[in-house]
Amino acid sequence: MAITRADFPLPDVSDDLVAGYFFGAAAGEVRIPRCSACDRWCWYPEAACPGCGGELVWTATTGRATLFSWAVVWRAFLPAFADIVPFVTALVALEEEPSIRLVTMIIDVSSESLVADMPVEAVFRPLRFPTVPDREVIVPMFRPIEAVS
Amino acid sequence: MDDGPEWGHATEFGDIAGQVAIVGIGETAYTRASGRSAREIGAEAAERAITDCGLAPGDIDGLTYSAAFADFDVAAFHDHFGTSHEMWSSPWGGGMSWAGTAPYLAAKAIERGDARHVLNVFPVAWASQRGGMTGGPGEVHASQSLKQNLEVPFGWFPQPVYFATIMRRHMIEFGTKPEHFGAVAVAARWNANRNPDAVMHGKKMDLDDYAAAPMLAEPLRLFDSCLISDGGAAYVTASLDRARDLPHPPVVVQGVGEGISGSGQHWSQQRPFTSTPQVFSAPLAFTMAGLTPRDVDVLAVYDPFTVVTIMQIEDMGFCRKGEGGPFVEEVSLWWNGEGLPCNTHGGLLSHAYVLGIAHVVELVKQLRETASAQVYDCEVGVYGGYTGMHASTLVLTVDR
Ligand SMILES: [Zn+2]
């Protein structure tokens, strides 16, 4: 079960189950699978709607969310993160469906100013790791809406 | 947000109260990296458990072990003991949540006549394996593609980071304070200081030491997190009638429960982020046993992180949801604190990270009155197992 993928810990955009998330980010949108039959949002991605079996379609959201919880990571648990600690990893609850939590990073703000349930919005930034040279993937990160002037 | 009961469910268990008892226990040394394989460790734990109940390897006709870490299965048993007899077996035993439900499987196998003496064994060699990413808690998680693609790239990995966010949310929702988490860590260490077998036996720690330790992922500090260890343990279950013929006083299985979260392996999506499936598991186990949390003399909860102790204490009904922080501060978890003695061997935090199997063995010792940190007048012991997705509750009593 050892991980042999050379670009780890970048996401594997060739994985059909999640590719739509990263294509969406590259196009400047937070896209989430939504059932074409019953309109239910589905996260994490699945092969078909867990409610009705309908087809799931990657669907744009507002990209707005609230800050559900976060941690300031000081220890680089993987070598790839050694240069960016401390950083803020977080769960944000999606505006369209707050039971959906996206795992993300909070950027452009000091960790001391973070407040529970504050509104945040997606910004689309390249994720790069020094351990994976010459590769990047554009991902949704989030920042507080108030921080925008 | 709807935190209704549909976020998980309990496994339907038949009533096995008083049918079986734990009759033998065995443990290896608990250490940092030992260089030993999990299979060797499992064999040693098994051998000691079989000896403890006054039986021979050929008498063991049932084996439960871990599907996820199948280091000591029937083939390994026969290979080690040079036996070849028929054995009933199930891979749904071992440690973690299953350390609490293996006695149920044993009771059913015994009831069907498939076995008389069932060994449950769980070895761990993660301290030795962690060097090469050839094993250990992180790799198991990183190997799942959804985690690899949607969690790890954002630094939400490994377990200390998940539980840092669970701690934070518990603090947000309930006002839990750093010193509450510290009280759990200090109690585990106090208990370990009493237990010569604990990895942290000789290392004292108070609340100041806790607060001075480095942040791993704020708000989670070093001592909120469990150890990484080598070691293993095993226990043998038999019918209560059979148990009364064996050398040790029977430790009777009075209640078993299992709860399962509907969010699968994904902590990030669990509806009530600060609850465990113990919510579903504990009520059934206590009902089966005809007991309540008030009757419990000694508790052992799976404690990979301090917040998990607090959440399980709440979810098992020792206090109301959200009051676990003040509870662990005011109601001592110390072995000699006259509150709710909890993880009297030191737990995953300060005894050894052997994933719950030593918790159950400690309860057996407590009920035999042979524990190092012996609780006075101990008649009811309860184990709370946990994996994130699963929880289990095992209610044990003295034979009365
Ligand atoms: Zn649907």
Side-chain angles (χ1 to χ4, degrees):
Chain A
M1 295 213 299
I3 296 156
T4 53
R5 188 161 60 81
D7 57 354
F8 179 83
L10 282 176
D12 180 7
V13 296
S14 70
D15 182 334
D16 288 341
L17 199 56
V18 298
Y21 192 63
F22 300 103
F23 290 149
E29 290 180 346
V30 175
R31 292 181 191 160
I32 299 294
R34 189 175 201 184
C35 179
S36 58
C38 74
D39 284 345
R40 171 181 168 152
W41 298 96
C42 171
W43 194 251
Y44 286 155
E46 296 192 27
C49 172
C52 75
E55 188 195 357
L56 293 171
V57 178
W58 288 94
T59 306
T61 67
T62 58
R64 287 193 296 268
T66 55
L67 181 58
F68 182 75
S69 192
W70 71 97
V72 186
V73 181
W74 288 89
R75 169 80 56 95
F77 292 97
L78 292 173
F81 291 88
D83 289 351
I84 63 163
V85 289
F87 64 92
V88 178
T89 187
L91 302 176
V92 299
L94 202 63
E95 182 176 84
E96 283 81 357
E97 176 49 73
S99 71
I100 289 178
R101 301 181 196 127
L102 304 178
V103 173
T104 187
M105 287 179 183
I106 303 294
I107 57 167
D108 298 347
V109 63
S110 148
S111 64
E112 280 99 73
S113 62
L114 297 177
V115 177
D117 303 317
M118 71 195 300
V120 291
E121 64 181 359
V123 284
F124 303 92
R125 298 285 170 85
L127 189 62
R128 299 188 193 99
F129 294 107
T131 52
V132 190
D134 307 322
R135 290 287 308 273
E136 65 178 43
V137 175
I138 295 176
V139 299
M141 298 188 184
F142 284 76
R143 65 181 176 195
I145 289 177
E146 287 89 339
V148 183
S149 52
Chain B
M1 192 179 313
D2 184 4
D3 288 356
E6 77 285 359
W7 69 271
H9 66 276
T11 304
E12 275 193 39
F13 280 160
D15 186 348
I16 59 150
Q19 281 188 22
V20 296
I22 296 178
V23 296
I25 51 175
E27 298 176 276
T28 69
Y30 299 106
T31 63
R32 297 172 193 274
S34 66
R36 297 208 296 168
S37 70
R39 194 168 167 143
E40 286 172 76
I41 293 168
E44 186 176 289
E47 201 167 308
R48 290 178 179 179
I50 296 166
T51 303
D52 182 61
C53 47
L55 296 172
D59 297 322
I60 301 297
D61 50 9
L63 179 69
T64 55
Y65 59 96
S66 168
F69 311 94
D71 297 294
F72 197 78
D73 57 7
V74 172
F77 181 98
H78 286 318
D79 190 42
H80 178 75
F81 291 110
T83 49
S84 59
H85 57 284
E86 279 282 302
M87 286 177 88
W88 170 85
S89 73
S90 167
W92 297 106
M96 298 175 278
S97 187
W98 300 278
T101 48
Y104 182 82
L105 301 180
K108 288 295 169 186
I110 291 165
E111 187 181 274
R112 289 191 306 269
D114 288 343
R116 290 183 77 208
H117 309 115
V118 181
L119 175 73
N120 181 55
V121 59
F122 193 70
V124 178
W126 279 352
S128 290
Q129 290 174 346
R130 75 188 304 191
M133 272 298 258
T134 55
E139 189 194 325
V140 175
H141 285 247
S143 65
Q144 297 171 12
S145 72
L146 286 170
K147 287 183 190 293
Q148 231 184 83
N149 292 318
L150 298 175
E151 296 180 357
V152 178
F154 302 97
W156 202 65
F157 175 85
Q159 285 88 335
V161 183
Y162 309 159
F163 284 92
T165 52
I166 293 173
M167 279 172 89
R168 171 93 61 191
R169 191 67 199 176
H170 204 280
M171 295 164 85
I172 292 166
E173 290 178 358
F174 306 119
T176 311
K177 297 185 169 75
E179 54 266 37
H180 297 146
F181 300 113
V184 173
V186 169
R189 185 63 63 84
W190 176 260
N191 294 341
N193 290 158
R194 180 75 179 183
N195 178 5
D197 297 333
V199 171
M200 301 305 256
H201 172 61
K203 300 198 171 68
K204 301 250 188 269
M205 182 180 78
D206 62 18
L207 208 51
D208 291 338
D209 300 324
Y210 166 84
M215 284 288 183
L216 301 184
E218 190 187 337
L220 187 142
R221 294 179 180 278
L222 180 65
F223 295 131
D224 289 305
S225 181
C226 59
L227 306 165
I228 289 282
S229 314
D230 284 5
Y235 57 80
V236 177
T237 303
S239 74
L240 183 54
D241 283 345
R242 178 73 183 119
R244 287 172 174 153
D245 296 334
L246 294 171
H248 291 289
V251 169
V252 186
V253 176
Q254 300 289 9
V256 185
E258 181 180 57
I260 300 176
S261 161
S263 54
Q265 299 292 328
H266 302 293
W267 267 282
S268 62
Q269 306 304 315
Q270 180 161 298
R271 238 10 62 242
F273 193 59
T274 50
S275 293
T276 68
Q278 201 58 254
V279 169
F280 308 107
S281 175
L284 294 189
F286 279 115
T287 300
M288 192 187 295
L291 295 168
T292 72
R294 282 175 199 282
D295 298 313
V296 175
D297 298 309
V298 60
L299 179 65
V301 291
Y302 195 86
D303 57 335
F305 299 96
T306 52
V307 67
V308 180
T309 298
I310 290 177
M311 290 193 297
Q312 291 207 75
I313 283 174
E314 295 169 343
D315 296 343
M316 295 175 94
F318 291 98
C319 64
R320 286 199 300 208
K321 189 66 201 172
E323 294 178 0
F327 180 91
V328 299
E329 197 175 44
E330 289 153 24
V331 180
S332 172
L333 305 182
W334 294 18
W335 70 273
N336 56 347
E338 297 179 357
L340 177 65
C342 178
N343 292 351
T344 47
H345 61 319
L348 305 177
L349 293 170
S350 277
H351 168 258
Y353 188 47
V354 292
L355 285 71
I357 190 74
H359 286 60
V360 176
V361 166
E362 171 70 8
L363 293 177
V364 174
K365 290 185 199 171
Q366 287 285 353
L367 294 166
R368 287 180 177 181
E369 304 212 329
T370 59
S372 296
Q374 183 63 47
V375 173
Y376 177 71
D377 211 9
C378 189
E379 296 191 339
V380 178
V382 172
Y383 171 64
Y386 173 77
T387 66
M389 182 185 179
H390 299 85
S392 70
T393 316
L394 175 65
V395 182
L396 301 171
T397 70
V398 294
D399 188 15
R400 47 186 176 188

